[in-house]
Amino acid sequence: MLRFCVRRDDLGHVWRPTARGWSAGRSHVTPLRHPSLEEVACGGRGRFFLSIRERCAGAPKSELPEANAPEAPWGRALAAALAWPLQSMTVVVRAGNDGGRPGTLDVHAGPWGTGSLYAVAKGGELHADWDPSRLYPLLGGDCLDPLRAAAYLAWSDAPYSRRTLLRDLWLFTVGSRGTWPMGDDPAQPLRVTYPPPVRLPRVGRVAPGGDVPDAFWRTLGASMRRWVGPGGAADGDLAAYEVSGGLDSSLVAACAATLTGRPPRTYGLTMPGAQRAGQRLRRAELIDRFGAVDTTRELTADPLLAPGGARARARGVVPWEECYHESVGALFATAAADGVRSLFTGFGGDELCAPHPQDLRAPHHRDLCAPRPHDLRAPHPHDDPPVRENTTGAGNTTGAGNTTEAENTTEAENGRAATSTPPTPVPQHLSRTAQQLLHDTLTDQVSAFDLAPPGHVAESALESVTSGSALYLRHGIWPIHPLCTPELARLCRRLPGKWRSGRTVQRDLLTGLGLRTIGRPDGTDDFSPAMVTALRGPARPLLTDLFGAPLLADTGLVDPRVLLSRYLTWADGGPGHEMEFYSAAILELTLRSVEASGQGHTS
């Protein structure tokens, strides 16, 4: 949502507006100017704040005090900015005083995760950007966090944390607060503080005669009005809908069409091979029902790690971003050329109906050393991972209270307790050092990976929202995720297991809307064959070169000879999994991107 460079020596200077943002001395804050966003700024005696945020339909106008106003009205204006109901990012600068108190800069991250901000503190300066690759020139050659890099190589997982797998690159996670500088200690010039954990409600009972699909529909509609209503981030003709033809994105597009009374503009990637027919039927059903104006692009038209592409040339590669970067980026470019400036997604829909601890036969704990189902294969470019079925069928609602009661779970019930479950096998090319790093986390993975505390929205949904933001914004598109709202997450959290199992509530709702082919499909889309084809075909020369002399060898996390040998065997049809080699290739390209950025190459 913004980028800035602030020097310690400028914290006491007066901030003044410029053509691009605000500046003080040699420091600057540059908000992202976008039709879906707005900004408010307020100066004062030795203090200044700038808040950039999503436009929200029906929100009151901000009342800002005059310049150099006293502390009380300035503080009220800041409090109002921090309470904004949609996503925001707020920078607060306070000058020091003659008594020796140093000046400080605080960053307050909003509650949604869209337009995430990354930061690097270096040499008396704090740099931040919504595009992490723009901060690469500030990183050194030894930039990988060994533990997080090992986890990424093993399971393609970048746990949601203020610490990224690039050692000095920080992420302002949802609801966090960053403070800089932290005294004169060069070891920790920036501190990012997490918000308190959210205590989530227990499963409830459906009231007699209650209509669960209707409650879901009304809650989704109320959430979406903030964006599609007058003055909202998606008000007007600049919004479109990213539709895969699956449950989640179709629900969002259908709800928007109902609220606005306009045929939705939809964009999506089409599947190759035998999956194409089923996907085409589902898209056709949405088009026929709501008059959608549909634009598609072949998934295979822009192969993963295509020769000559930006990622293949090691330009700005970010490891946690979209696997199908080339094809999704081309789709976004098409939408942007059509004038689209905001895209609704179905991110978070699968997590809404994920199993709860009380649904399972044994207590459920998050195990970072055990790959989740959607981590074992390439993620979808859109929004509909495979359904995670309730393992107890109809679901166990023992202990559930009345739906009007606000019972709470503990952190352990939220799946964030430490676990001693043994790790699953890791790729054979990981070194003993990497394997030991992962094994040493077993006693307390929450602390080892410094995981963000649980919130209303599931961690994996926040990972998707955060990791995808920069790719949208590079194409001038603001992403909107209506299935990641706290109110919808809380509603689904309280549903009895029979409504969550198999995602019954969404399927019944879609069927009731006349979208039975979408709600009850014959199969699900699988994008992994496209990755296999690319890594064994067009990308093979690239990976052979990368693994022949990898910078990763210098980290001590992989055995380069084993990596190359295993890849060539797999590329010829032998054993292995495509994500093992994709992860190694992307991490290698990340290191080369950081190296190239120091030579003036960033894109």
Side-chain angles (χ1 to χ4, degrees):
M1 301 181 79
L2 55 81
R3 56 174 54 111
F4 64 74
C5 172
V6 177
R7 296 170 55 88
R8 184 191 294 249
D9 295 342
D10 291 333
L11 289 174
H13 289 194
V14 176
W15 287 83
R16 305 183 189 281
T18 68
R20 300 181 59 191
W22 293 77
S23 68
R26 289 182 288 173
S27 301
H28 66 85
V29 179
T30 306
L32 178 66
R33 300 282 165 77
H34 190 279
S36 296
L37 306 177
E38 64 183 20
E39 60 194 74
V40 293
C42 184
R45 297 170 183 170
R47 53 189 178 268
F48 165 79
F49 79 79
L50 169 70
S51 185
I52 182 164
R53 61 203 191 186
E54 281 185 287
R55 297 183 183 275
C56 182
K61 292 284 186 180
S62 297
E63 296 185 5
L64 299 176
E66 296 180 357
N68 297 318
E71 176 70 27
W74 185 89
R76 287 193 294 270
L78 174 60
L82 296 179
W84 190 250
L86 293 181
Q87 176 61 347
S88 65
M89 199 68 67
T90 304
V91 177
V92 183
V93 180
R94 296 178 184 271
N97 59 26
D98 295 336
R101 181 175 64 86
T104 59
L105 179 147
D106 289 320
V107 176
H108 297 263
W112 298 83
T114 314
S116 300
L117 192 66
Y118 299 83
V120 174
K122 185 174 183 179
E125 297 179 346
L126 182 64
H127 299 255
D129 207 294
W130 54 261
D131 184 346
S133 68
R134 291 176 61 95
L135 299 173
Y136 282 4
L138 301 170
L139 304 178
D142 183 21
C143 62
L144 289 184
D145 178 289
L147 173 59
R148 288 171 174 78
Y152 184 82
L153 288 166
W155 305 297
S156 309
D157 194 18
Y160 191 63
S161 169
R162 56 195 163 192
R163 299 178 183 273
T164 73
L165 61 80
L166 297 171
R167 193 195 312 271
D168 296 322
L169 185 71
W170 292 77
L171 168 65
F172 295 108
T173 54
V174 165
S176 65
R177 175 179 177 176
T179 302
W180 174 87
M182 291 304 300
D184 296 320
D185 181 7
Q188 192 181 12
L190 170 66
R191 180 178 65 193
V192 179
T193 305
Y194 285 138
V198 171
R199 297 181 65 83
L200 300 176
R202 293 184 185 274
V203 173
R205 297 189 185 95
V206 177
D211 188 335
V212 172
D214 181 65
F216 186 104
W217 183 249
R218 286 186 287 107
T219 303
L220 175 60
S223 298
M224 290 191 65
R225 284 189 182 92
R226 292 175 295 197
W227 289 292
V228 302
D235 180 23
D237 298 327
L238 302 181
Y241 303 84
E242 192 179 346
V243 170
S244 66
L247 298 181
D248 305 320
S249 55
S250 298
L251 262 177
V252 170
C255 188
T258 302
L259 289 173
T260 65
R262 297 192 300 266
R265 281 198 291 175
T266 55
Y267 290 82
L269 296 171
T270 55
M271 301 296 297
Q275 300 180 80
R276 182 193 305 268
Q279 186 193 40
R280 182 177 294 168
L281 283 175
R282 296 193 299 274
R283 298 187 77 87
E285 187 173 58
L286 187 69
I287 293 169
D288 292 343
R289 175 67 177 82
F290 293 103
V293 180
D294 194 38
T295 300
T296 60
R297 186 177 180 88
E298 295 282 346
L299 174 65
T300 54
D302 307 279
L304 179 143
L305 294 178
R311 290 206 298 176
R313 292 183 292 112
R315 297 295 183 263
V317 178
V318 179
W320 50 83
E321 287 191 350
E322 172 63 57
C323 285
Y324 300 91
H325 191 282
E326 291 77 11
S327 53
V328 173
L331 182 69
F332 291 169
T334 299
D338 291 343
V340 172
R341 292 297 175 264
S342 60
L343 266 177
F344 284 83
T345 81
F347 286 3
D350 185 58
E351 287 83 353
L352 287 174
C353 288
H356 295 179
Q358 55 264 48
D359 294 334
L360 307 177
R361 298 184 187 280
H364 170 69
H365 300 301
R366 164 79 189 276
D367 180 11
L368 283 171
C369 289
R372 291 163 287 175
H374 61 284
D375 288 334
L376 286 175
R377 52 113 181 106
H380 286 197
H382 294 293
D383 58 6
D384 297 319
V387 174
R388 290 179 285 184
E389 297 291 342
N390 184 329
T391 58
T392 59
N396 176 10
T397 57
T398 302
N402 186 283
T403 54
T404 61
E405 297 175 357
E407 297 184 71
N408 292 318
T409 64
T410 64
E411 285 190 48
E413 289 172 314
N414 286 335
R416 303 306 298 274
T419 172
S420 58
T421 305
T424 55
V426 298
Q428 297 172 21
H429 51 260
L430 259 66
S431 67
R432 290 184 179 274
T433 298
Q435 295 181 46
Q436 188 62 48
L437 284 170
L438 296 172
H439 187 273
D440 289 345
T441 69
L442 292 179
T443 56
D444 187 357
Q445 293 169 356
V446 173
S447 297
F449 288 92
D450 190 25
L451 299 179
H456 292 289
V457 178
E459 176 190 348
S460 57
L462 290 176
E463 288 177 9
S464 297
V465 168
T466 299
S467 62
S469 285
L471 184 56
Y472 288 92
L473 295 181
R474 291 185 198 116
H475 289 88
I477 293 174
W478 179 255
I480 301 174
H481 313 292
L483 301 184
C484 290
T485 63
E487 57 269 23
L488 194 57
R490 289 183 67 84
L491 170 68
C492 292
R493 180 84 189 181
R494 304 218 64 200
L495 292 179
K498 69 177 183 179
W499 284 104
R500 288 179 282 105
S501 177
R503 307 180 69 188
T504 298
V505 59
Q506 291 106 316
R507 296 185 190 281
D508 284 4
L509 176 53
L510 284 163
T511 300
L513 291 170
L515 302 174
R516 192 184 187 289
T517 303
I518 298 174
R520 309 286 177 183
D522 293 331
T524 58
D525 296 337
D526 181 6
F527 285 76
S528 60
M531 175 177 283
V532 172
T533 299
L535 296 185
R536 284 177 169 167
R540 179 167 178 162
L542 172 65
L543 267 65
T544 302
D545 175 68
L546 294 176
F547 298 159
L551 296 179
L552 278 172
D554 297 334
T555 69
L557 297 176
V558 300
D559 184 324
R561 290 178 297 178
V562 176
L563 173 59
L564 178 59
S565 174
R566 291 192 67 241
Y567 167 68
L568 293 175
T569 299
W570 174 82
D572 287 333
H577 194 280
E578 63 272 13
M579 287 303 293
E580 300 177 21
F581 307 110
Y582 172 82
S583 298
I586 289 299
L587 206 54
E588 175 66 22
L589 288 168
T590 298
L591 290 176
R592 297 189 183 199
S593 292
V594 173
E595 184 177 74
S597 72
Q599 301 168 2
H601 304 296
T602 57
S603 62

